[in-house]
Structure formats: C-alpha cells, structure tokens
Amino acid sequence: MICLLPHCAYLSETSRMLELHRALTDLGLPVRVATHGGPHERFLAGIPYDVLGPGLSTTRAARFVGSAVGLGDPRQSMYDDDEIRSYVQAEAEYFKAHGIKVAVTGFTVTTLLSTRLAGVRLITEHAGSFVPPVFEKRLLPAPTHPVDPRLRRAPKWLSRFLINRTVNRTTSYCGGFNRVAESLGIEGVPSLAALLLGDLSLVPEVPEVLGVSAAELAAWTPKGRVGYRPSSRLTAVGPLFAHLDLPLPDRVQKFLDHPGPTIYLAMTSTPPAQVRAAIASLGTLDVRLLVAGTIHDLGDLASDRIMIEGTLPSHLVMPQVDLAITTAGQGSTQTAMASGTPLLGLPLHPEQDLNIALLERLGAARHATPTTNLATLATEMLESPSHRDAAVQIQKLYAAVDGPAQAAQTIAAYTEGS
C-alpha cells in the first residue's frame, strides 16, 4: 500500500500529490491519502483522505509557511518539538494500521522520522531541482534570501560559492527533528540537504533545463559524501505540476479575451503585503493584470484593468497571457514553460532562486529581487520576443514527457521492491 501525504499549507504540494494520485490510480494501484490539514485541504475533496492530528488552521499554516526554509529563522524547525513528536507518532501508527509500505510526500517533513519509526520507505518530490548533483556542479545561484543571515551582506560570488558548498554541511532547520529523533531512538537528519531528501527523491525536471542528465542523477549516492542519510537516492521523472480540476470562470475568460497585453500574477504562499506591493507596481502599466489571490483578501485593489480572483487553474490561464509572475516555485515555473509563457520570478528561498536561474540561463525567464522595479522589468520582458521564443522551446521539451506517469511508474516499481 502507498500513502500520499500532501502538506496542505501549500497549494503546490497539494496539487502535485493530486497529480500523483491520478497517475497511480490510473495504474490500478491502491493509494491512501493522509494530511495534517491546512487551507488547501479543500482540493482533496474529490478523493478519500484522513487528517492526522488536530488539523492545521489557516493561521497555523501561515505561520508554518513563514517559518519554512529560506523564510524563517534557521535555528528553528518549523514545528516545535512537541508537534514533531505528535505528528511522527500519529503518522507511524497510521502507516502500521494500514499496511503502508511506501510513503510519498511533498514537504510533510515529519515523515523523515515517522517512516523510520514505522519501518516504511520514503519517497519525496519537494526538493524539486534542489538536489546534490546540482550543488556539486555549482549550479545554485547566489540566494536572494540567504539561509545564513551572515551572508546577507556577502558579495554574490562568495554567497554563491558558499551555498553550493554548504547545503549538506549546515544543520539549519534540523534541530527539532534531531532532538525528537534522539528521544525516539531513530535516525536523525544530518543536514539541510538531507531535510529535503527521502530514501528516493523524484527529480521532476528535464535534463535540458536541469543541467544534469538522468544517468548522473541515477548514479549519485551519498557514499564518500558528508551530510546525507546513507539510503538517499535520486531519479528523474520529468515535469510534475498542477492541473487543478477547477473551471475557468466566465468573467476571467472575458477578461483574458480582451485585446492588449495581459500579465498573470500568482504569488501563492506569499505574505499579502508583498503581493500588494507587486500589484501596486504593475498597476502603473497599461496592461491588464489578472491576480490569483488564493487565500489573501485583495478585493479592494480591483479595477477595470486589475482582476482579483482566488485560486485559479493556472494551466488554463498561462497559455492565454503574455507574461506570468510568480515566486518561482517549481510548479508555477513548469506550468509557465508548459504553456510557452515567459516568466518573471520573485523567489523567496534558495530552491526558488534555482528554478528561476535555470530558466534564465535558457532565456525564458528573468529574476527579480525585493528592490527590483517590477513595472520596468515586466515592460522589458513584454517588449522582447526572445523570452517567449525560449519558453516555447522548453514547452516542446515538456510536451515529450509525461512526468506524472513516469513518477507513478517509479513509485510502483519502488513499492514492489520494498
């Protein structure tokens, strides 16, 4: 039996687990779904699932997101020790009660311990492209928001050198997990890099974008390297992004059908003040701006040229716009590229820095920082056809790969061998 554990504080992690659920179900495999709950739990409504623990309130989910890797203080672990212990024990009991052989998760990182407690194998996908061979090839850019506060004033060359060299040597965000692991007598988490890896980590990207071949990923092992669990392995599966089962409202379609340039702003899991600042800057342009406000209340910013909506099916929106602006999570970057739409990224943490850097290297995207004039950069991108041409080339690469199907086949084979 396979168990999927989406972290429903994140729309991206919830939607990727839904993609895997569909693909695994198509293979006829038995799958259970369990979650800690959260504001995006509602998207699980079409499938049976269980909530472990009290359920994450919207307030607690927002605090979790704000304390996560790259955003919160690296001396904490997103949960307090009692929360970690409670979730680990609840997950382990659930795995045993339902005969789970393999757990698959998107940033429900307590599974790093609960799978050890229950003797279950763990598959992850939430590292995305942020995996060891990328560090070892020195492909990580200087982070916009350094995990180590001491690097905030460092020159870019030094910051880039150190992040590529130290991800598997720093224990940032790991302290609580290791205290609980020690109390339970199970294997801990030796580094930040290990916090993002399972026994098998799915790498949902094509080699041409990642800059690392599938063979190199498959050949990588922790042997002779520090900071990793000995069981960690990697495998390439291709793009894995959301196709939310939501209709595109008629009012939105009419907005998109209007002539003239249109920008799609979808900054999910972002503090509302940052979203408002982006809207204020982009609102100075003579463009139409469609905003996926998700859980934020932004209705007061609406105008005849600015439409504020909630959660939208981005895979239906992005093919119809001239520019997408997101925080460059892998889900949104891949949705944009699968649509042949250029992307402007405002990353919040190192994994998102990497996603936008990989696309920028190929000419399909641009990177913004907190001090960037969004209106100026968006205008430059709208006026340059080269960004769309590059995005269309990546679109062709993505069209040749069925990421969810490859991921499901990999999970099935791994489960049979467990």
Side-chain angles (χ1 to χ4, degrees), residues 136-157:
E136 291 164 11
K137 284 178 174 284
R138 304 292 189 257
L139 296 178
L140 295 180
T144 305
H145 303 275
V147 172
D148 188 336
R150 294 172 296 180
L151 294 181
R152 289 176 185 162
R153 291 186 175 85
K156 281 190 175 182
W157 69 266

Side-chain angles (χ1 to χ4, degrees), residues 14 22 152 178 244 342:
T14 305
R22 291 188 188 114
R152 289 176 185 162
N178 287 326
L244 288 177

Side-chain angles (χ1 to χ4, degrees), residues 69 77-78 84 88 107-116 122 126 167-182 186-198 226-230 232:
V69 176
S77 296
M78 296 162 281
I84 294 175
V88 166
F107 212 63
T108 303
V109 284
T110 46
T111 53
L112 286 164
L113 304 189
S114 62
T115 52
R116 291 297 186 263
L122 177 63
H126 52 260
V167 178
N168 61 315
R169 290 174 169 83
T170 177
T171 56
S172 296
Y173 303 98
C174 298
F177 295 99
N178 287 326
R179 287 190 296 271
V180 173
E182 183 177 10
I186 56 177
E187 183 183 18
V189 183
S191 71
L192 174 58
L195 186 66
L196 304 177
L197 301 178
V226 300
Y228 299 106
R229 289 172 153 190
S232 299

